[in-house]
Amino acid sequence: MSFSYNTKNELCRLLPQEVCCAVAECYGVLMFCNTFSAREIRVVTGNMALGLRLKEMFAFAFSTEFDVMPEPDKVGKQAYVITDAAKLGRIFEAFGVLPESLLAHHVNLGVLEEDCCCKSFVRGAFLAGGAITDPNKSYHLELVTDHFNVSRETYSLLLEMGFSPKETSRSGNYIIYFKQSSAIEDFLTFVGAPIHAMELMSAKIEKDMRNSVNRKVNCDTANVTKTVDASASHVKAIGVIEGAGLLETLPEKLRQTAALRVEHPELSIKELADSSSPPVTKSCLNHRLRKLVEIAEGVEKTLDNRL
């Protein structure tokens, strides 16, 4: 199962403490579900745990059963439907709305006066219209509804609760989303999914450690390549000087450095400086090696002029 599916399963294990919270959660579900109108309520989900929660929450909040329920043995996405006018009227009444006067959905903040009810509303919104990506791949959590006013008012509600989401639209839907891992962790903890918030945190730590190791390996590889290339240029220069019969005419310190480089081509400049007798600074040894390269370049230039 996906990370999003399992997160919703964790939320479905929460038990509502008060009727007002059950009403608020159902409110969030309906504002972000497939259909919520004066004629029909239709919630479509492939999550059996969510389907069972819908049945229990609607019974607890409104003393109402769905008119259409999926068969127990069916798999895949199934619809939970209410079309009975009396039931619809009772549900709309709980939200302070008359079905016949409904033109466009708005979030009635009077239903969400308590902090616990706000939390329940957001949980319901995520259960019905939310999704979250696998944190091992990317960080993204979104709430999707086809009601513009509901999206804007839920966005404002999240701001009041201390979150900083972003907004966009896609294919006629309105989307509230989070991209930062820390914000998603806080959101999951807030709505009641601390286990998956911890899983996201662990995935982030693991990813950061893996990236750190990769950066170190890449850096070490680059350093090795740099050392090999530098050593090859030094050995080549010394070969040119020796081939011209000039090696023995060099000052003793340059001859020692040349011999040390040829004997230890695998060492870095720092390691080569420490291996000198007596040891010298990295800057000093680097200066000697540059001098050998300059001499070799002079030899090659002289040979080219003769040709």
Side-chain angles (χ1 to χ4, degrees), residues 26-27 29-31 33-44 54 58 62 64-68 79-85 87-92 95 105:
C26 292
Y27 198 18
V29 167
L30 293 173
M31 288 298 192
C33 73
N34 302 82
T35 304
F36 179 36
S37 70
R39 294 184 178 182
E40 180 186 49
I41 286 174
R42 180 180 294 270
V43 184
V44 179
L54 288 173
F58 272 69
F62 314 114
T64 297
E65 295 182 352
F66 285 92
D67 297 327
V68 177
Y80 297 77
V81 182
I82 297 176
T83 55
D84 182 87
K87 294 179 181 179
L88 290 169
R90 189 156 58 247
I91 292 170
F92 273 95
F95 302 142
H105 281 296

Side-chain angles (χ1 to χ4, degrees), residues 133-148:
T133 58
D134 184 342
N136 290 301
K137 298 177 181 177
S138 63
Y139 306 123
H140 183 85
L141 182 149
E142 65 181 29
L143 304 174
V144 183
T145 180
D146 58 1
H147 306 299
F148 173 76

